[in-house]
Amino acid sequence: MNLSEFRRHGHELIDWMAEYFENIENLPVKSGILPGEVLNQLPAHPPSDPEAFENLMNDFNEIIMPGITHWQHPGWHAYFTANNSYPSILAEMLTSTLGAQCMSWLTSPAATELEERVMEWLGEMTGLPKGFTGVIQDTASTATLVSLLTARENATRFAINRSGFYGKGVFTIYCSSEAHSSIERAVKIAGFGQDNLRKIEVDKLFAMKPESLESAINSDLKKGFVPLAVVAAIGTTGSTAIDPLKEIGEICKKHKLWLHVDAAWAGTAMLLPEFRYMIDGIENVDTFVFNPHKWMFTNFDCSAYFVKDKGALIQTFEILPEYLKTKEGSMVNNYRDWGVQLGRRFRALKLWFVIRTFGVKGLQEKIRNHIRWADEFAGWVENEKTFEILAPSPLATVCFRLHPAGVDDEQQLNSLNARFLDEINQSEKIFMTHTKLNGKFTLRFVVGQTNTERHHIEKAWEIICGIAMRMK
Ligand SMILES: *Cc1c(COP(=O)(O)O)cnc(C)c1O
């Protein structure tokens, strides 16, 4: 492909992209293909001769597109959202055009300095206290791993980095039984051992019980374990429960434990001052993560990680071989030492484009609408006798199930709701997923796709009710 072909195909692609968004509602939200269907259409061996771009696009449309699940469809109510937006997509095009590898200040000074500034903006926009410094990580999973590694090194004065775990005692980590699986994975790969993760019980609202946390810590201390860190969830993945940060923070302070907050999805709601109650107690928090790539209209991947002690973070990861030394040294931020990976994409650009295009007010308005529509939806569910709400919805996710009069066997209800969900998704108009709360098969209705409007929520409700009426 030469430059003039690149230019021509580039213009064609922009048209393709605009038409995609124009027609997205006509596509089935969830791909309905069977396992192997795409694979079997792909040649077993790579082409030895060059192929025309037209052929590629043809195959993209014919083979790939039917196997795509459309996360940007306004009928997206599954998992959490992974939103993009027009400014974010355009910024990603520039990022890939520049192809800059932003490991050090020197390797693209503007990328580093823009990241520094937009993370300050994001800290201010979410109401985090001034003492926090931000850095973009690829995902919340990585941020949580980075946090627990920093906790480990901070507590042992960087001794495990130097000489390993031998003779350091057995560390214990705490999170609620509703916490995200990425915490267990971080505990596993950071060398703590899954057996040393304590899953603390939750209350009726699915939030961590502080008194159970404290008794678990005391019991571990008595047995000779070394309690190290707590991960509190602001917005659990199952039901968006909010752990009581204030009480958890006091316990951490008292026992000198590291406190990490996982607000992967819900953190975006902090753009609204009325939701900052969720971080009441932030003064005792060491690290905090939320994902603009979920609800804040910024293409995956973009995870905002905030730390109180950037020195501890850098000292945990820093490594300086001769070939990476620069004369600016520590006068500037070298983000290669702020996490696991060396190479980094220029991710601040899309965040900058998103924040400036929407403006803080524009972002707030969208988020506020999502929360309002979810509240309305929850009201409709509540008023319909065959449905049952299974958890509070403090933000924009509604947990419920079908519960027809006279059917009270839990197993029967579980299989009924599994079939119900299947039927809903076979409509191809909306996509929802489930979780289990207290053993009950629970449908989750997440409101927050970039392109969702109120009329889509009404339509979704019609579809759900229509299918519910046919369920036996
Ligand atoms: C989605 C989610 C994660 C994982 O996010 P990634 O960025 O995909 O790693 C972690 N915690 C919570 C609460 C989540 O909802």
Side-chain angles (χ1 to χ4, degrees):
M1 193 182 294
N2 61 30
L3 185 58
S4 78
E5 287 166 323
F6 169 74
R7 187 190 301 271
R8 182 160 57 82
H9 296 314
H11 284 292
E12 287 162 10
L13 278 197
I14 284 287
D15 284 335
W16 188 98
M17 290 154 75
E19 272 157 36
Y20 175 71
F21 283 111
E22 227 160 50
N23 297 323
I24 194 164
E25 289 188 47
N26 303 324
L27 299 170
V29 192
K30 183 178 81 69
S31 168
I33 69 159
L34 298 170
E37 242 182 273
V38 171
L39 191 62
N40 292 334
Q41 294 178 74
L42 300 170
H45 304 288
S48 46
D49 293 317
E51 288 192 67
F53 189 73
E54 284 77 7
N55 289 1
L56 268 62
M57 273 315 280
N58 201 41
D59 285 350
F60 173 76
N61 285 317
E62 300 295 315
I63 302 172
I64 303 301
M65 281 305 283
I68 294 295
T69 289
H70 301 285
W71 287 71
Q72 310 311 319
H73 193 295
W76 185 273
H77 304 288
Y79 306 105
F80 283 133
T81 51
N83 289 337
N84 67 18
S85 61
Y86 304 139
S88 174
I89 296 166
L90 295 176
E92 279 284 45
M93 290 168 68
L94 293 175
T95 291
S96 70
T97 301
L98 299 175
Q101 204 278 52
C102 307
M103 58 184 172
S104 312
W105 179 86
L106 174 83
T107 63
S108 262
T112 297
E113 294 185 12
L114 182 63
E115 180 160 339
E116 186 173 338
R117 187 63 84 215
V118 292
M119 291 308 281
E120 283 168 10
W121 285 6
L122 214 49
E124 181 183 311
M125 286 161 64
T126 49
L128 285 176
K130 282 226 160 33
F132 281 93
T133 308
V135 56
I136 302 177
Q137 303 282 341
D138 53 7
T139 59
S141 304
T142 301
T144 295
L145 172 64
V146 164
S147 173
L148 291 182
L149 290 170
T150 311
R152 189 189 82 182
E153 292 313 307
N154 190 59
T156 60
R157 300 179 183 209
F158 306 91
I160 294 178
N161 266 355
R162 268 193 313 276
S163 51
F165 273 98
Y166 187 74
K168 301 294 188 306
V170 178
F171 297 102
T172 46
I173 317 288
Y174 307 81
C175 66
S176 91
S177 56
E178 289 288 317
H180 190 263
S181 57
S182 57
I183 291 136
E184 185 156 350
R185 177 179 288 171
V187 164
K188 187 164 105 164
I189 64 184
F192 297 118
Q194 268 165 295
D195 292 349
N196 302 312
L197 175 64
R198 307 283 183 255
K199 292 187 181 167
I200 306 302
E201 69 177 320
V202 293
D203 61 17
K204 286 202 301 284
L205 309 178
F206 303 101
M208 189 193 284
K209 277 184 168 171
E211 61 277 17
S212 304
L213 170 66
E214 178 132 46
S215 64
I217 293 169
N218 285 328
S219 140
D220 282 331
L221 282 170
K222 250 187 238 140
K223 290 183 202 147
F225 289 102
V226 186
L228 179 79
V230 177
V231 180
I234 304 265
T236 56
T237 314
S239 73
T240 69
I242 298 160
D243 286 345
L245 200 55
K246 186 99 191 159
E247 285 95 326
I248 293 171
E250 306 274 306
I251 294 168
C252 289
K253 189 174 169 192
K254 179 166 145 199
H255 293 276
K256 298 198 168 60
L257 301 192
W258 184 268
L259 178 53
H260 173 58
V261 173
D262 175 7
W265 173 72
T268 296
M270 284 158 51
L271 293 180
L272 307 177
E274 62 268 32
F275 285 93
R276 304 221 177 116
Y277 73 86
M278 299 189 296
I279 53 160
D280 188 19
I282 191 77
E283 61 279 3
N284 291 316
V285 169
D286 292 286
T287 56
F288 179 94
V289 66
F290 90 98
N291 285 344
H293 71 222
K294 277 189 166 157
W295 195 4
M296 218 188 89
F297 321 113
T298 309
N299 276 64
F300 190 88
D301 53 351
C302 185
S303 188
Y305 179 53
F306 290 91
V307 304
K308 204 172 261 172
D309 181 358
K310 76 172 185 191
L313 168 68
I314 294 168
Q315 211 178 328
T316 299
F317 289 94
E318 192 170 45
I319 200 140
L320 190 59
E322 191 56 35
Y323 50 79
L324 289 179
K325 286 183 184 158
T326 61
K327 71 175 188 309
E328 294 79 20
S330 57
M331 271 165 51
V332 292
N333 286 345
N334 289 304
Y335 287 125
R336 63 161 192 267
D337 286 331
W338 296 49
V340 175
Q341 68 200 86
L342 171 65
R344 307 177 85 246
R345 299 179 71 238
F346 184 9
R347 286 175 298 216
L349 192 68
K350 57 190 169 187
L351 212 39
W352 195 45
F353 274 36
V354 166
I355 296 169
R356 293 185 63 188
T357 304
F358 286 93
V360 174
K361 281 192 189 142
L363 292 170
Q364 288 174 326
E365 191 187 316
K366 277 187 87 73
I367 302 301
R368 210 171 257 135
N369 277 336
H370 293 156
I371 295 172
R372 184 177 324 131
W373 299 335
D375 284 346
E376 272 185 80
F377 182 91
W380 300 337
V381 174
E382 239 164 321
N383 287 335
E384 199 60 61
K385 281 202 184 62
T386 62
F387 292 122
E388 180 185 13
I389 292 272
L390 292 179
S393 49
L395 298 159
T397 298
V398 183
C399 293
F400 69 103
R401 70 172 173 179
L402 191 56
H403 191 163
V407 186
D408 283 312
D409 179 70
E410 282 299 332
Q411 249 173 359
Q412 202 180 333
L413 281 169
N414 281 357
S415 65
L416 175 73
N417 277 282
R419 277 192 292 122
F420 181 37
L421 178 63
D422 236 24
E423 295 273 329
I424 290 171
N425 289 338
Q426 270 167 31
S427 77
E428 300 191 338
K429 301 283 181 213
I430 58 173
F431 182 29
M432 291 170 62
T433 50
H434 81 282
T435 188
K436 278 218 168 132
L437 295 173
N438 290 329
K440 296 174 183 167
F441 191 99
T442 305
L443 278 70
R444 294 166 71 264
F445 187 81
V446 178
V447 181
Q449 214 296 313
T450 317
N451 305 307
T452 301
E453 296 293 339
R454 191 178 174 283
H455 68 90
H456 294 111
I457 305 297
E458 279 176 34
K459 171 104 171 292
W461 177 240
E462 242 171 65
I463 293 169
I464 292 167
C465 289
I467 293 168
M469 262 176 357
R470 297 202 307 271
M471 293 298 299
K472 284 279 166 323

